[in-house]
Amino acid sequence: MERHAPTGEHRAIVYNPHERDSTRSKRMILDIQEILGFLPHRYPFLLIDRIVEFERTKRLVAIKNVTINEPFFQGHFPDYPIMPGVLVVEAMAQAGGIIMMYELPDRQSKLVVFTGIERAKFRRPITPGDQIRIEVEVLAFRQRAGRILGRATVDGKLACEATLTCQVVPRVREAKPAADAGPASSGEQVEAEAAAAAAVTGTE
């Protein structure tokens, strides 16, 4: 059964009869209000405006409309505005974050954070007036970690691509262990995090 979107929100679902999926694949479209229900990011750091395709645990396509009103254009660069490449990668990560957050029943208490950026390449500048199409494909998926391939295009031309790894963490920082619990608890936590990262990167 399809999991419902956050309370009070509605979602359009587009069916593609040509897809081969025994469970009848569904491609979902999410508007900005629905995106806000999955991501904790807010202005000026929310970098996707709409989801136009979404296949759970597989792939997602998002749209980002770039305008001269973006705050980063004030300094990057005066008289020659270019969207910073790191923010294009961040937009990919946010798109991938929705894929992971969608599967979490307790998403309101979780965050999805970067753990790695690999093979990032920037092919062409993105400037005011551009519409970025952000396509992310899941390479590996676990309950607490994931690995995605991201591509950003403008007018069908590749602007940026990168492979990203990420991890699910508590949204509220946990209290530091008491002094008497000390090194053992910290060590166990480090080992658990290392194991999760290795499971995603395939270095086990």
Side-chain angles (χ1 to χ4, degrees):
M1 179 178 295
E2 187 69 26
R3 181 174 294 148
H4 295 292
T7 304
E9 297 174 355
H10 301 282
R11 179 179 60 216
I13 300 179
V14 179
Y15 296 94
N16 185 342
H18 302 294
E19 287 189 315
R20 300 174 59 186
D21 188 334
S22 58
T23 60
R24 190 167 64 168
S25 178
K26 298 178 180 180
R27 289 190 173 185
M28 294 173 286
I29 298 174
L30 307 182
D31 63 24
I32 187 61
Q33 293 301 321
E34 292 166 322
I35 290 170
L36 291 171
F38 289 101
L39 293 180
H41 308 74
R42 295 297 183 265
Y43 178 85
F45 220 71
L46 180 62
L47 297 174
I48 54 178
D49 297 323
R50 188 172 180 82
I51 305 299
V52 295
E53 295 181 24
F54 182 13
E55 298 176 74
R56 287 177 57 182
T57 71
K58 295 180 180 179
R59 65 185 295 272
L60 181 148
V61 179
I63 297 297
K64 163 64 178 171
N65 295 301
V66 182
T67 76
I68 192 61
N69 295 321
E70 308 282 359
F72 48 77
F73 283 139
Q74 295 182 39
H76 198 276
F77 300 97
D79 302 322
Y80 192 70
I82 296 176
M83 183 173 180
V86 292
L87 294 186
V88 181
V89 175
E90 169 65 24
M92 294 177 186
Q94 291 181 18
I98 288 181
I99 296 178
M100 296 194 67
M101 294 289 278
Y102 192 88
E103 302 302 317
L104 300 177
D106 56 345
R107 68 176 69 94
Q108 298 303 322
S109 64
K110 303 296 184 182
L111 289 174
V112 177
V113 297
F114 270 134
T115 55
I117 305 172
E118 304 170 23
R119 294 186 288 277
K121 297 180 181 179
F122 303 94
R123 306 293 189 180
R124 60 181 61 244
I126 295 175
T127 58
D130 287 341
Q131 183 181 80
I132 311 173
R133 178 182 171 91
I134 301 161
E135 303 180 25
V136 294
E137 175 186 351
V138 174
L139 302 177
F141 188 86
R142 302 287 189 277
Q143 186 176 7
R144 291 179 56 94
R147 182 180 177 88
I148 64 170
L149 173 64
R151 300 175 77 253
T153 61
V154 176
D155 295 329
K157 298 177 181 178
L158 184 63
C160 175
E161 60 185 339
T163 299
L164 311 175
T165 53
C166 51
Q167 185 172 354
V168 178
V169 299
R171 187 172 296 197
V172 178
R173 287 183 179 272
E174 298 179 355
K176 292 183 178 180
D180 55 353
S185 296
S186 299
E188 290 172 1
Q189 182 178 357
V190 170
E191 289 179 5
E193 292 178 354
V200 174
T201 58
T203 57
E204 290 182 306

